[in-house]
Amino acid sequence: MYSTPGPNGDCTLRTPLPTISRKRLRSYASVTNLESHKRKRTSLILHDDDKENERSSGTGLGHTDSPLNRFIPSRPKMDMPLQITPRTNRISKQFGLLGDRILNFQDDTTDFSNTQASPNLVTTNDINTLHLLRKNASSLFSSIPPAKPTSVTENLLKKRQCLVVLDSPNIQPHLDAYPISWSKQNLIAVSCGRDVYYQNLNTKAVAHLCRSQVSSSSIWAIEWAGTKRETYLASGMEDGYLQIWDSMRSGTEHSSGTIPRSSGSLVQTYQIAEDAKVSAMAWAEDGDVLAVGAKDKKVSILDVRVEHVVGIAGLHKDRVLGMSWSTDGNFLASSDYGGNVHIWDKRAGKTLAEFRGAHSSKMIHRAPVKALAWCSWKSDLLATGSYSPEGKIKIWNTSTFTSHTPEPVQTIPLNTAVYSLQWSPHCKELLSTHGVSFTPIYSRHSQRYNTINGTSESSTNTSQHVKAVLSPLANSITVHDYPSGKRLMSLSNAHLSAVSHSCLGPDGENVFTVSPAEETIKMWQVWGKRPEPPRERSAFDKHLIR
């Protein structure tokens, strides 16, 4: 008993209440039998079932499971709502599960034939919902590939319009011709009849380079020289003559009257063939050697330091259509109207297959082949493209030519005539220009003819075996990915007619295309340069000595 002062100052006697001793319960969450001296943490979020158990027992320690249950991976299900924390609320909103629904996945092999008999089975709408949930869940973990500034997807695909349009009246109308060429000094040359004009794209100045002096026939092909002689231009004519001009030396003889004054000087004149047009030519990278193909089926080798033909590299079975040197200057590829592609080894003086012991060096298409392109970042890759009735792009690896029947490493069927090919020097992409699209026509007569001759194509006469159709690839500029072959972009109707030829600029970004029916040439920015890596700062950049 003890006394306490009252409100009037009187003392009041009080009896102390008996104290209730609280015995500390043993923690069942511990593996050992030792008691924990730490205060047990309880969750601030109490479920309805937990609250009812707490009220009935009078204490918050209603856990009576064995301590070994925490090692069992499959715990009992809990009726926990999905929108508890901001994070789970956000994820539930992403999947549309803000209600009491639970995300469950079931196999697609469930038999839904007795759906009406068993209402608990999942319906078709629920299956579509599950597929949608799976797709959304996979999108959360998929990363967006980084954009490549060098790819066509970041350049021409976004702009889809040309940068420059130049008129070219009286340009060579034939689709097999090579009427334009782009020099390493950024000069674009165009052959118009017997004359050759060029424009300096840096200064926008236009000049008349030359006019054919040895014949009255029109110019069929022109080509600027390589690194050593960047100012040299070769022009081949339909009557078999070839002339080499220097654009930086003023001509000694100037024309008067209706003939424009020439700004170039004649270096050499060759007669490649008698009454046979110069159909294709290609300069070696050194600028001294020039390979020329003609209608007489020969591949001739010229040297600008010599006044006559040096030699004959080989002979085709049909008139030559395409010519291209490899980037390392060791191999020369040539194609003909019969669909055969030969590779000549400059060092051995024979074909590549003959040099490696094979019996034939022909890479075969089923249609005429004009488009040839060597890869700049992998010198043993060669891309070839064919006309109708085949319309395919084939990529060959010359380092794997060990048999007499080489096979392409990749084939891209397009059912569209391929007239030119260009590899990008900045990324692994291949550009192609096209003409008319077609569909094959199979007849009983052509099948019987194929059976007799043992070939898959009866002949190269396109009027009997193909039919022109409308297609997004018709008259287009198309870019393909390597090595997947995926079509990255197709600029439909880049010209109103067939795009017969293309030239890659010295920067490797822009491409000039020509359409003879339009009498125009257009420049497109197809690719971009690789950005320079950021310069790392060193300790000397941070601290300066004064």
Side-chain angles (χ1 to χ4, degrees), residues 291-293 297-301 312-318 320 322-326 328-336 340-355 360-363 372 374 382 398 401:
V292 182
K297 310 174 186 178
K298 295 180 181 179
V299 178
S300 304
I301 303 297
I312 305 298
L315 183 65
H316 280 260
K317 294 183 178 181
D318 210 327
V320 181
M323 194 84 60
S324 179
W325 283 97
S326 62
D328 55 7
N330 295 327
F331 303 109
L332 172 66
S334 60
S335 60
D336 57 26
N340 300 319
V341 180
H342 294 260
I343 297 182
W344 316 94
D345 194 327
K346 175 184 176 183
R347 299 164 297 181
K350 58 182 68 175
T351 65
L352 181 61
E354 291 174 350
F355 176 71
S360 175
S361 62
K362 294 185 297 183
M363 298 177 289
L372 299 174
W374 290 91
L382 173 65
T398 58
F401 285 179

Side-chain angles (χ1 to χ4, degrees), residues 43-55 78-81 84:
S43 175
L44 297 179
I45 302 172
L46 298 178
H47 308 294
D48 297 338
D49 296 343
D50 296 338
K51 291 180 181 179
E52 294 178 2
N53 296 333
E54 186 176 358
R55 295 192 192 100
M78 301 177 63
D79 297 334
M80 180 183 294
I84 296 178

Side-chain angles (χ1 to χ4, degrees), residues 434-453:
H434 302 279
V436 64
S437 298
F438 53 85
T439 180
I441 299 177
Y442 301 100
S443 62
R444 185 177 304 175
H445 173 73
S446 62
Q447 293 293 334
R448 182 167 60 252
Y449 184 89
N450 294 343
T451 304
I452 295 175
N453 289 271

